[in-house]
Structure formats: structure tokens, C-alpha cells
Amino acid sequence: MTTRGHLDECVHCGFCLPVCPTWINWGEEMDSPRGRIDLLRGVRDGKLEFDGPVALHLDRCLGCMACMTACPSGVRYDLVIEEARAQRELAVPRGLFDRLHRAALFSLFPYPRRLRLAAALLFLYSRSGLQWLMRATGLLRLVSSRLATLDALVPRIGTASLASGLPARLPAAGERRARVGLVTGCVQGVFFPNVNAATARVLVAEGCEVVVPPGQGCCGALSTHAGRLDEARRLVRGLIERFEAVEVDVVVINSAGCGSHLKDCQRLFAGDPFEPRAAAFSKKVRDVNELVDSLPPRAVRHPLQARVAYHSPCHLGHAQRLTAPPRALLRAIPGLELIEIADGDQCCGSAGIYNLVQPASADQIGARKAAAVLASGASWLASANPGCTLHIQRQLRERGATIRAAQPIEILDASLRGRTEPDGG
Amino acid sequence: MPESHAEIETDELARRMSAVVGEAHCISDPAGLSVYECDGLSHGRIRPRLVVLPASTEEVVEVVRLAHDAGVPLVPRGSGTGLSGGARPTPGGVVVALSRMRRVLEVNLEDGWVRLEPGVINLDVTRAVQGRGWYYAPDPSSQSICSIGGNVAENSGGAHCLKYGFTVNHVLGARLVLDGGEVVDLGGPSPDTTGYDLLAALVGSEGMLGIVTEVTLRLLRKPEATRTFLATFPSSDEAGEAVSGIIAAGILPAAIEMMDTLAIQAAKAATGLNWPEVGSILLMDVDGPLAEAEHTSAAAIGIARSAGALEVRIPVDEAERQLMWKGRKSAFAAVGRLSPNYMVEDGVIPRSEIARVLREIGRMAGEAGLRVANVFHAGDGNLHPLVLYDARNPGEEEKAAKLGGDILRLCVRLGGSITGEHGVGAEKAAYMADMFAPEDLETMFLVRCAFDPEARFNPDKVFPTPRLCGERPGPYRPHPAEAAGLVERW
């Protein structure tokens, strides 16, 4: 008897369709989780070639995992799509521009030092008037819609982005409740340094000793989700080794996509001698919202008058099934009014590098999210993932609207410090 | 003069269809076509010639005209969740997928109706009006994804149809595109009782009369109160007795659902519910004005207890209530966790026979060496035995199909039916002759021919032996020319 693969767990009920952003986009079966599984079964059973159209429908999947929340049969779509993406790279060669674009992304994002250099260039680009010129003339869009998308996404770079970070150890305020290692991330650390600072401050205030292992690189999440598994193994192994050197009770992460990958990274080492070390590390990983929510509050929450809409990042809500902790953390702040966004469990279209490689689809999805955010009447958007925040802010900007955005942990930090609003935004 | 469908090249047909719906919405590549080979019934796949996704009534009209001129059959398809293969493609035919037609066109709460396109999802009807205290009553378990067009085609039911009736009781009007492209409006928002009830003939016609491009649905006010409880029983004997007792006492619950041990296990695995794995549970909703709901619910709980309930659980809040219903509604698909393959059956029996029939099903399953999970609308006597099997074991699929067929015949023998709400489609056509005499089938066929004389729409469904309109069924009758001695029998 053959082993039952994940593809066979799908009973074709269709419950995944209405939650799939691309099915909502086009109403087509091939761009639904059920359809993609069907395509992969067809390929496996020799009824279909792994050709351009099959690759196209796989490429259009955001990997948001909303289908996993909806699936009554418990299909492991995360594993299905990850494996399919690895196969896809081998089966259907990408065009030259696509290859270069991806090569550029994957040789930039995972490396904080390169990102910091890029941030410096972007700082000059945005302040020199060149960005204004490129946008005003539409020159960039003429060259490439992908580059234009990248340009539109770039956050406002502050000088904090250009320096690297946090001290290696911060003692707990009061009696120590845990010794926590902080993953500083790549994009998070460079483009949103305030988030790491806020994370560290909240943890310290709540009685955690915070350790920041030096020399951290990317955790490999982007590579894993794109099916670049060798690269992912190399990156996550490097990160795990840094954390093994500092001995902590908990590894805390404030980026949802990275967290879901790190909680499950031992899979990448199945049968490898490194597997038990990866498993030991995975067990310690907690999202910052999850960790703070699990600690009985110790620090005083000062009132914060704000109407805050919470955007649930897919890798937190669907992949890690953490929907309650970030909301609980916000609700505990006096004066803060927590607002739900309509269809709040749906992806915003950012999805790792999806908005960079599938801009048209990402825009369609983002437009729905932007409309829902605007309709909520919130003054702040709380999102626990940097990619989502950038994408939603860009969608709003293009509609002539703005909303101040911060991570829940930054908002909590502001409350603990008695500020009227978070540092970022 | 229509061309025969062998005559037109698929490429040419695709060109013509693309000109109507746009190239992006005419699917002709093998990968795209392969995912439309089946609906919610995933065995017996047939690859369609083309799939088109029109966006308006006008586009549907043009698609139908093209198919008519080319002599090509059409199969309408909603969300593809049907469990009887009603949207399974016809060999050589074109699938008309309506999932892009999903606009809510008009909401009129003053008169309590909504007009919408057929691709709108059942639950989205309620979502569109619930903020104002209204809802759409029929609630198939797949309501989060099944389309209104599909509901109209199948006359879909659902847990709460016990009190509120099936889809047919909630469709006020429909716009229908007939073969050749004629557009007709049946019914409408105002009561329309003059003449034959053609709308009732359309609802449940399984996509065989034409393509519905607009539907007007009745909306209801949300009841003031709903009381839900879950009762556990040692076996289906006591649960069945409770159901009969409740109905006999004159109580009309909004829903009474029954699940057996296997179904309970599946629902728990899918939702994390903490239900005990007893022999049988009943999940019941009573609704109406607060005082009535309280009173009736207490009476029903009393009857359940005296029938032998082990425990009665009442959800503490709306979230727990929703979770209980989610457990019930995801049970079908959740059975995928218990078995690699299963067949969903859909038979109806007199309510009073529930316990006896479930015992008999258990015995038949034991004989066949297979497991059967039961999760169903007990108040309607609408059974859903799920026959579990493993297709990798040689002969097991055939054994399962035979057991399913035997269960349906048992239902018919007891005065019931081979389908309660899933439709006949491709799957149950073979059992129609067990339920209907040839004359009955002939009469049904005449209705079909009156709407669709060339059998353009979904031609090979429902009837056990597909044929063309005008063909005479039954015993041989000599042709007048033969009777006159002019020709020999041909």
C-alpha cells in the first residue's frame, strides 16, 4: 500500500474557495486551493504536464493559508504548496527578467547589511528628488511595473534604519520571569527598527530578560515560502546556531511570516543530523503577541485614546492560529477602541514577496483590503507583520488616504510608556 | 441549420466563445480544463471541451446561441460543490461556470426580497442583509461556498429547512436563458400564482431546462430568539425516539440534526469540539419569539431526557453555538480524516423509521465489511449515510457503491426517496427506475422537452437512459406506415 500523500487528503468539498484571495479575484477553479491540488494530482498521476499554465496557477497562490483554516479535512496545504514550488522551479524555467528580479530580491532581503546599504541608497533616492522625478514622470512604470511596485512600497526611511540596533542584553525590570532571545529579522530590523526596540522594551517591562544574539541574518522564511529550500536550510541553520550560543528559555519573534516558519523549521531537516537541534529551537519559538499575552500583566497600561483596526496577518492568524492574543493585548489598553475590519481574516495581498512578483493580483486583493480598512473608520492600523503594513499603506496612499500604522506591540509600548502614540507611524 | 457537434473544431468554438466572454474567461488549456472535470463528487471525472465564464445575462445568451448553432451541449456550473455530479461535464460539451456572476443587484427589505446573480454564495445573501436583522433561510452545510444558482438547480435543503422549507419555498422569481437564447422571467417579487407554477418546475430541475442568470429570493426577519441544545444518547435508538417524540408533541424545531459516533469523531477532529464519543447525538435549534423559544426548548429537552438522553448541553454564548454548528456542517468533509475515500448518500425515510433503518444500515455495512458514518437531518428523515472505503484496496470502491445503492433501495422500500436534497445528477440516475415507473419518468421527460427540446442543457443527467425528445419510450408500437403495410419494421 502506498503512503497517502497530502494531495489525497483533499475531498474536493470546496470549503477553501470563498476564503482564497485569488478565487475571489477571478472566480476560477484553477486559482483556488482545491484547483491547485487537483492540478498537482493531475501532474503526479501523469494526466497533466507540469507546464506553463500549471506553474502560473501555483505562482498566483499567495501562500496565505486561509484555506487551511477553512479546510474540514485538515489538508496540509502549507506542505503541498511548499513542495510544489520547489518542483515548479525545476519543471518550468523562468524567463530572464523574472529570474533576475527574483535573484535580486533573494540576494538582498535575507542580508541585513545589504539591506542597510540599500536603505542608505533609498534614503538618498527619496531625499534627493530623484524619487519624486521618477514618480512624477511615470518613468519607472514605463520600465517595469514590478520596479514601480517596489518603489511605491518603500517605507519612509529614517536615520534609525541606517544604524544597527539593540544592545546584546537587557535586564528584566523587577523579578525575572523568563530569559528571552529576540530574533531581529532582516526587513523588520532595517526598515522598522522601532518595532524591535518596542518589542524589547515591552518584554523588559513585563519581566523578561532580553538577549539579542549578535550577527543574526535572515531566518529563511522568504526562501522557504518560495520553495528555495537549500537556501532556507542554510539561513535558518545559521540563525539557530546564533541562538544556541546564548541559551534562552524562549525565542521571540515579531514578524508573523518568520514566526510561522521558525515554529516549523525542523521539517526542513528531516533525516538530517541537525534535525533534533532544529526541533529543540522550534519548540522555544513564540510570537511576541503570544508571549506577552501569556504573561499576567505586570506593567501599568496607561490610557491611549485611539480607534485601532487590527489587521490579522495570515502567517499569524492562519498559519499560527493566533487570532486572539494580539487583540487581547490591544483590548487591555484603557481608552483604546478595537475595531474589526470587514473580512479581516483575508490576506491583504502582500504575502512575503508576492506583491513584488505578482503585482496585478496583489493590487486587486489590496484594493479590497484598503476599502475595508477605510470603511472601518479607524485612525490607526495595527498589523503584526511588516510586509502587510507596507502594502496596505501603499494601497491607501494610492487612494489618496493615509492611516497611521503600528504593530500591536508598538501600541502597547506607547501605552506602557504613557505616550499618546507609538514612535512609528 | 445547427451543425452537429462533431463538425465544429474545438479551436473554432473557442474562438467564437472567446469573442463573447473574453479570451481570459474561455478556458481551453488542459490544465484549466482538468480542474472542471468534476464537482463536489470527485469520482467519474470527464474533461470538458471548453469552460466559459460569462459575466452577464447578455453573455450567457450569446454563449447559448453559439452552442445551439454548433450543436454543442452545455453544462451549467455554480461553485462546484454538488454531491451528485450534477455539474459533471458532458463528453464534448462546454461547461458554463457562473462564478463570475456574483453581484447582489437589488435589496428590498420593505417587501423582503433580494435580486441577485446566480454565482452569489448562499451565505453572502445573509451577510448582505444581516446588519439590518434579515437573513436567507435555506442553509445547506456547504452554505459558505455553494452558489444560489446551484441551490436553485438542486432545490437545496439544509438543517433549518425542517421549519422553513427548501429552496423552492424561497425563490420568488428567476430569469432563465433557454436554448436558442430566448430570455424568460418566471415569477417575480410579487405573489404570482396565476397559471402553471413554472418557477416550481425550474427549481430542482438540475440545470436541465436552461441557464438561470438572475434569482429573486425571499428574505426573512431574523427570529427574536434561538435556543440551541445538544443531547447525547447511548445509541440511535434513543435519539430516534427523541426525534419522534418531539415532533409528535407538536413541536416544530428549526432544526434537529443527528450524528453517530464516527461522525462525532470527524467533527471533533475538524473543529476541536469536546463532544463525548457516544452512540448518537442530537443538535437542535428552536427559534421564534423569546417566550416561545424558551418554552419549546424546555419542552424538547424534557422529551429528550425521557427518551434516554445521557446529557444535555446548552452553549454558553453565540461563539460556542456557532462552533457546535460548525462541527455539524463540516462533518461531511471532516470524514476525510477518518477514511481515504467515502461516498455521501442522501436518502429519505419516514421519520419514525430512523432507528430501525440505522440498525439495518449498520447490519448491511457489517456484512459488506465497510464502515458507515451517519450525519443527517433527523427532523426530515433525510439520511446522509457516508460509506467509508479505501479505493486502493481492489474491489472496495465497487463494494461501497453497492452498499450505497442497497441503502437507497432500502429507503425506497420504506416509502422514502433516493435523494432528499443532493439531487439525482449523474450519481443517482441509475436508481430512478427503482423509485419511478416508466410512465412517471416519461412524464418528467415531457416537462424537460417543453423547455429544452434539443436537450442542450445537462443532457445526460437524472434520467436513467438519456434520449432525445420525441423518442417514444415503452413497448414497441408499429409506425402507421408499417401498420399500413407500406414498409417493414425498422
Side-chain angles (χ1 to χ4, degrees):
Chain A
M1 203 180 281
T2 54
T3 315
R4 216 175 142 217
H6 296 295
L7 293 175
D8 294 313
E9 287 164 4
C10 172
V11 301
H12 217 258
C13 69
F15 278 39
C16 54
L17 270 58
V19 301
C20 174
T22 56
W23 190 84
I24 299 170
N25 274 0
W26 306 303
E28 292 179 348
E29 195 73 30
M30 313 74 91
D31 289 310
S32 75
R34 174 174 82 168
R36 293 185 184 105
I37 287 172
D38 230 7
L39 290 175
L40 293 167
R41 279 180 181 166
V43 168
R44 183 196 62 189
D45 300 341
K47 293 176 185 161
L48 279 181
E49 298 278 322
F50 205 135
D51 59 2
V54 173
L56 172 77
H57 301 307
L58 293 175
D59 285 353
R60 283 179 176 172
C61 169
L62 298 114
C64 71
M65 307 306 157
C67 50
M68 290 183 68
T69 304
C71 180
S73 306
V75 174
R76 285 296 304 268
Y77 186 83
D78 53 343
L79 305 184
V80 166
I81 195 70
E82 189 179 297
E83 192 182 321
R85 289 208 153 123
Q87 275 180 36
R88 180 250 176 273
E89 296 300 330
L90 300 174
V92 186
R94 293 184 184 275
L96 180 65
F97 181 75
D98 198 7
R99 274 208 315 277
L100 289 174
H101 184 61
R102 282 168 183 268
L105 292 176
F106 283 103
S107 51
L108 176 65
F109 280 113
Y111 304 98
R113 262 185 308 202
R114 294 182 202 171
L115 269 179
R116 205 162 283 123
L117 180 66
L121 294 173
L122 284 166
F123 182 76
L124 293 174
Y125 171 66
S126 63
R127 301 294 160 89
S128 67
L130 187 59
Q131 184 177 44
W132 176 86
L133 189 71
M134 292 298 260
R135 287 180 182 178
T137 56
L139 200 61
L140 208 53
R141 189 160 295 277
L142 206 64
V143 179
S144 158
S145 66
R146 288 185 176 192
L147 287 181
T149 303
L150 195 54
D151 170 63
L153 273 174
V154 168
R156 197 172 163 78
I157 310 285
T159 43
S161 294
L162 309 180
S164 56
L166 289 164
R169 200 187 78 87
L170 293 156
E175 193 195 337
R176 189 179 88 171
R177 296 204 273 193
R179 183 174 150 92
V180 173
L182 176 64
V183 181
T184 48
C186 40
V187 178
Q188 188 83 283
V190 175
F191 289 117
F192 298 94
N194 294 325
V195 178
N196 282 340
T199 301
R201 279 194 296 266
V202 170
L203 290 172
V204 164
E206 289 293 3
C208 300
E209 177 189 357
V210 178
V211 179
V212 186
Q216 292 182 45
C218 169
C219 68
L222 283 179
S223 310
T224 306
H225 300 148
R228 300 163 69 104
L229 301 183
D230 286 335
E231 186 175 80
R233 279 184 202 102
R234 183 169 54 76
L235 291 168
V236 72
R237 190 180 172 131
L239 187 78
I240 292 171
E241 284 166 353
R242 304 273 170 186
F243 276 82
E244 283 174 342
V246 292
E247 290 198 16
V248 290
D249 310 321
V250 178
V251 173
V252 72
I253 174 90
N254 53 27
S255 167
C258 309
S260 87
H261 154 71
L262 291 178
K263 283 181 174 179
D264 209 16
C265 66
Q266 78 289 349
R267 283 188 305 103
L268 294 171
F269 300 96
D272 186 293
F274 192 72
E275 187 179 3
R277 286 165 67 185
F281 174 83
S282 284
K283 264 199 230 102
K284 290 184 184 173
V285 176
R286 296 286 177 280
D287 180 79
V288 64
N289 296 284
E290 182 184 16
L291 175 63
V292 173
D293 186 49
S294 71
L295 299 169
R298 185 188 277 178
V300 177
R301 270 79 173 150
H302 299 287
L304 204 73
Q305 303 303 328
R307 287 165 58 79
V308 177
Y310 175 66
H311 166 69
S312 177
C314 297
H315 274 99
L316 204 61
H318 297 302
Q320 299 185 54
R321 303 284 161 98
L322 293 174
T323 52
R327 290 180 167 92
L329 187 143
L330 289 168
R331 255 190 225 110
I333 300 173
L336 185 148
E337 185 189 353
L338 184 64
I339 299 171
E340 291 294 333
I341 303 169
D343 297 319
D345 50 0
Q346 271 175 27
C347 181
C348 64
S350 162
I353 58 163
Y354 187 85
N355 51 350
L356 302 178
V357 292
Q358 296 280 338
S361 172
D363 280 351
Q364 232 174 310
I365 297 163
R368 292 196 294 269
K369 185 59 74 182
V373 169
L374 287 178
S376 73
S379 53
W380 278 91
L381 178 71
S383 152
N385 196 54
C388 304
T389 308
L390 286 178
H391 185 68
I392 297 172
Q393 281 188 315
R394 181 203 144 205
Q395 294 292 333
L396 290 170
R397 255 197 322 275
E398 292 191 350
R399 281 158 190 79
T402 52
I403 191 164
R404 288 172 297 174
Q407 291 227 11
I409 201 71
E410 291 178 280
I411 296 176
L412 178 58
D413 174 53
S415 160
L416 296 189
R417 295 159 75 204
R419 303 269 176 106
T420 53
E421 58 180 57
D423 291 345
Chain B
M1 189 59 199
E3 309 156 45
S4 96
H5 88 249
E7 280 172 22
I8 186 159
E9 294 286 335
T10 299
D11 287 352
E12 173 57 22
L13 188 63
R15 255 193 302 281
R16 294 185 199 174
M17 291 286 182
S18 295
V20 174
V21 296
E23 209 167 318
H25 308 299
C26 176
I27 296 162
S28 57
D29 66 290
L33 294 176
S34 76
V35 298
Y36 285 93
E37 286 173 352
C38 65
D39 55 11
L41 182 78
S42 58
H43 55 265
R45 303 171 66 113
I46 293 174
R47 191 165 295 187
R49 199 137 79 120
L50 291 175
V51 177
V52 295
L53 294 104
S56 65
T57 300
E58 293 70 31
E59 288 187 9
V60 173
V61 166
E62 288 307 313
V63 164
V64 170
R65 278 199 188 128
L66 285 176
H68 174 87
D69 291 346
V72 174
L74 295 175
V75 176
R77 185 185 200 269
S79 297
T81 57
L83 293 166
S84 60
R88 179 188 293 171
T90 292
V94 173
V95 168
V96 183
L98 296 151
S99 39
R100 289 178 64 227
M101 291 182 64
R102 49 185 169 184
R103 287 176 302 165
V104 174
L105 301 168
E106 194 179 354
V107 178
N108 182 330
L109 294 182
E110 220 170 3
D111 294 320
W113 53 262
V114 58
R115 189 167 60 85
L116 40 74
E117 294 183 325
V120 172
I121 289 170
N122 174 301
L123 198 55
D124 285 345
V125 183
T126 292
R127 286 205 183 112
V129 294
Q130 67 186 3
R132 288 166 280 177
W134 293 74
Y135 79 115
Y136 175 62
D139 62 335
S141 294
S142 57
Q143 70 182 135
S144 64
I145 173 58
C146 62
S147 72
I148 290 298
N151 291 176
V152 170
E154 302 297 320
N155 188 19
S156 302
H160 293 77
C161 291
L162 174 61
K163 179 171 180 181
Y164 293 100
F166 282 60
T167 302
V168 70
N169 303 109
H170 299 269
V171 176
L172 298 172
R175 176 162 289 182
L176 179 68
V177 179
L178 296 170
D179 189 21
E182 190 185 346
V183 179
V184 293
D185 284 315
L186 305 177
S190 312
D192 177 18
T193 53
T194 318
Y196 293 114
D197 191 351
L198 297 178
L199 191 57
L202 175 66
V203 178
S205 61
E206 306 205 21
M208 299 173 71
L209 305 187
I211 298 182
V212 170
T213 60
E214 265 184 42
V215 187
T216 305
L217 296 174
R218 184 197 310 282
L219 296 172
L220 298 181
R221 290 290 302 198
K222 199 163 172 264
E224 184 190 357
T226 301
R227 289 290 173 266
T228 300
F229 71 85
L230 176 90
T232 65
F233 298 88
S235 77
S236 53
D237 290 359
E238 297 84 4
E241 196 184 314
V243 173
S244 297
I246 288 166
I247 305 284
I251 295 171
L252 181 56
I256 314 183
E257 300 290 298
M258 198 190 280
M259 297 168 78
D260 70 3
T261 316
L262 279 175
I264 295 168
Q265 286 168 354
K268 285 177 67 174
T271 57
L273 280 160
N274 63 345
W275 288 349
E277 292 181 18
V278 290
S280 183
I281 60 167
L282 289 180
L283 178 62
M284 183 164 153
D285 262 2
V286 176
D287 64 15
L290 181 61
E292 182 191 331
E294 297 277 10
H295 172 81
T296 321
S297 162
I301 289 173
I303 294 168
R305 285 195 201 282
S306 52
L310 299 167
E311 182 193 1
V312 172
R313 291 190 187 183
I314 295 167
V316 294
D317 55 16
E318 181 60 21
E320 191 184 349
R321 175 178 178 270
Q322 293 287 351
L323 186 63
M324 283 182 168
W325 274 105
K326 189 175 173 197
R328 161 61 188 92
K329 294 200 171 188
S330 56
F332 275 14
V335 165
R337 295 172 186 256
L338 304 182
S339 169
N341 309 91
Y342 61 93
M343 290 179 189
V344 179
E345 299 298 345
D346 170 42
V348 181
I349 52 163
R351 204 162 36 221
S352 54
E353 301 281 2
I354 289 175
R356 189 157 78 93
V357 170
L358 291 183
R359 271 200 306 273
E360 181 62 11
I361 290 174
R363 192 193 59 75
M364 290 157 70
E367 257 175 31
L370 294 170
R371 294 183 298 165
V372 175
N374 287 286
V375 45
F376 61 98
H377 312 311
D380 288 328
N382 185 179
L383 300 182
H384 291 311
L386 303 153
V387 182
L388 279 48
Y389 67 98
D390 187 337
R392 293 166 304 184
N393 299 337
E396 206 163 299
E397 182 161 333
E398 293 72 23
K399 237 182 345 185
K402 181 175 177 306
L403 175 58
D406 289 345
I407 292 172
L408 293 183
R409 287 191 196 93
L410 171 69
C411 295
V412 174
R413 252 198 332 274
L414 292 168
S417 160
I418 58 169
T419 168
E421 55 183 3
H422 296 173
V424 178
E427 185 75 349
K428 303 287 155 54
Y431 304 112
M432 286 291 272
D434 290 308
M435 194 167 163
F436 296 106
E439 293 77 8
D440 298 329
L441 291 170
E442 175 61 13
T443 309
M444 285 183 213
F445 197 65
L446 287 173
V447 175
R448 190 250 167 82
C449 292
F451 281 84
D452 179 23
E454 288 184 29
R456 175 82 42 232
F457 302 105
N458 225 1
D460 51 1
K461 306 290 159 59
V462 178
F463 294 98
T465 44
R467 57 175 185 270
L468 297 174
C469 296
E471 273 184 27
R472 304 296 303 176
Y476 178 74
R477 296 186 188 88
H479 189 274
E482 192 187 346
L486 297 173
V487 292
E488 286 184 23
R489 177 170 173 173
W490 70 82

